[in-house]
Amino acid sequence: MSDSTSAVEIVRTVKALRARVAGWRAEGLTVGLIPTMGALHAGHISLVEAALARYDRAVATLFINPRQFNSAADLAKYPRTEVDDSRKLAAAGAHLLYAPDGDAMYPPGYATNISVSGVSSGLCGADRPGHFDGVATVCTKLFLQSGADGAFFGEKDFQQLQVVRRFVQDLNIPIEIHPCPTVREADGLALSSRNMRLTPRERQIAPALHRALQAAAERLSAGADAGSVLAAAAAAIRDAGFDRVDYLELRDGGSLAPLERAETGARIFAAAWLDEVRLIDNIPVGAA
Ligand code: PAF
C-alpha cells in the first residue's frame, strides 16, 4: 500500500505494458486486469481488491473509449481525472496503470470491429446502438495487449459482463472473467462515475431506482406476473422524480432472454434518466 499522494506507475504503450507483464511472467507471477474509463470510485477499487486477492499483480487500465459513446457530447462530458485515479490505484495497492492515448488504441487505418449478437440486443443495446461493439472491441484489445490471466468486471454493468463473457468464449481468448458484486451507497444507489453529474436534488431522487427494483423483485419472487409488476415499478420510478424510464425488464441472467415470470437465475434490469444523466441498475430475483 502507498500513501494517498503517491501515484501508481503509468505506461502508455503496448510495448511498455507487455515488457512489464513479461517481467512478471519471468518471475512466475500471475496478472489480473481491471479495465476502466477512469473517474474511479469505490466500485472500481473493489475490483482492484478482488484482483489482488486472486492474482499476484493488478493492472488497471484507463482509456475513455470513444467507440462506446453514442454522442460526442456524452464523450466530452465524461470526467477525466487521471492524476486522482492514479493516486487511488496506488493507495489500493495496484501495480500498474495502462493509460494509452487514442492513437495507440486506434491508430490511423484501424478497421476492425468486434460485434457480439444475442446478449448485446435489447436493454442498453437497444437504446445505445453500437455501444457493445465498442466495449467488445476495446476489451478484446486490452485482453490481447496485456495477456492478463484474469479480468474483473462489476455486475452493475451486467449486460456488458455477459457480452465480455460471450466474446471471450467465442474467440477462445485465454483469460478468466471474474464478475464482482455491485457496490452501493448506504441508500442503495449503485456507484457509477455518472453519479458525480447528479445535482443535489437528483442525487436524492436517484436511490428510488434501486428501491423500485427491490420491491419488484419481492413481488416477482412471490410468483407475480412480470407485466403488472414491472409496470408498477416503472410508475414508481417516474413518480419518484425520474424523467424517463428507458427500460425495466425481467430477463434470464445468463442468456439475457426476456422472461414473463421469475425463474432461477432471473434478474431485473433498469435504465432511467434524471435530466441528462442516465442511470442503470440490476438485481437478482430470489437466489441468483
Ligand atoms: O465499464 C467500463 O468502464 C467500460 O465499458 C470498459 C469495460 C472499461 C470498456 O471501455
Side-chain angles (χ1 to χ4, degrees), residues 35-37 44 63 65 68 78 131 135 138-139 153 157 160:
T36 86
M37 296 203 298
H44 297 108
F63 180 67
N65 176 30
Q68 69 185 79
Y78 204 84
H131 168 70
V135 170
V138 80
C139 287
F153 290 87
D157 297 299
Q160 166 172 282

Side-chain angles (χ1 to χ4, degrees), residues 24-25 28-34 47-59 93-95 147-152 174-180:
W24 292 328
R25 292 256 179 262
L29 302 176
T30 57
V31 180
L33 193 76
I34 305 100
L47 303 182
V48 174
E49 287 164 357
L52 289 168
R54 179 73 172 68
Y55 296 103
D56 301 310
R57 293 289 179 265
V59 177
H95 297 88
D149 299 284
F152 292 77
I175 192 165
E176 192 172 338
I177 302 303
H178 301 275
C180 297

Side-chain angles (χ1 to χ4, degrees), residues 95-121:
H95 297 88
L96 190 69
L97 174 61
Y98 172 51
D101 65 27
D103 266 9
M105 193 59 86
Y106 303 120
Y110 182 89
T112 300
N113 186 47
I114 305 292
S115 187
V116 180
S117 52
V119 290
S120 289
S121 316

Side-chain angles (χ1 to χ4, degrees), residues 4 9 21 36 38 59 93 102 134 136 141 149 154 162 186 192-193 216-217 232 256 273:
S4 59
E9 179 190 344
V21 172
T36 86
V59 177
K141 287 181 67 82
D149 299 284
Q162 296 310 98
S192 163
S193 307
L256 300 187
W273 290 84

Side-chain angles (χ1 to χ4, degrees), residues 113-187:
N113 186 47
I114 305 292
S115 187
V116 180
S117 52
V119 290
S120 289
S121 316
L123 304 175
C124 288
D127 300 315
R128 304 186 64 188
H131 168 70
F132 287 119
D133 283 15
V135 170
T137 301
V138 80
C139 287
T140 301
K141 287 181 67 82
L142 292 170
F143 296 166
L144 297 177
Q145 289 172 341
S146 66
D149 299 284
F152 292 77
F153 290 87
E155 287 184 337
K156 194 203 70 134
D157 297 299
F158 200 88
Q159 189 175 16
Q160 166 172 282
L161 171 65
Q162 296 310 98
V163 168
V164 170
R165 281 173 154 157
R166 187 72 256 165
F167 78 72
V168 162
Q169 188 177 331
D170 290 352
L171 299 179
N172 308 102
I173 299 179
I175 192 165
E176 192 172 338
I177 302 303
H178 301 275
C180 297
T182 301
V183 179
R184 298 182 182 278
E185 301 281 7
D187 58 14

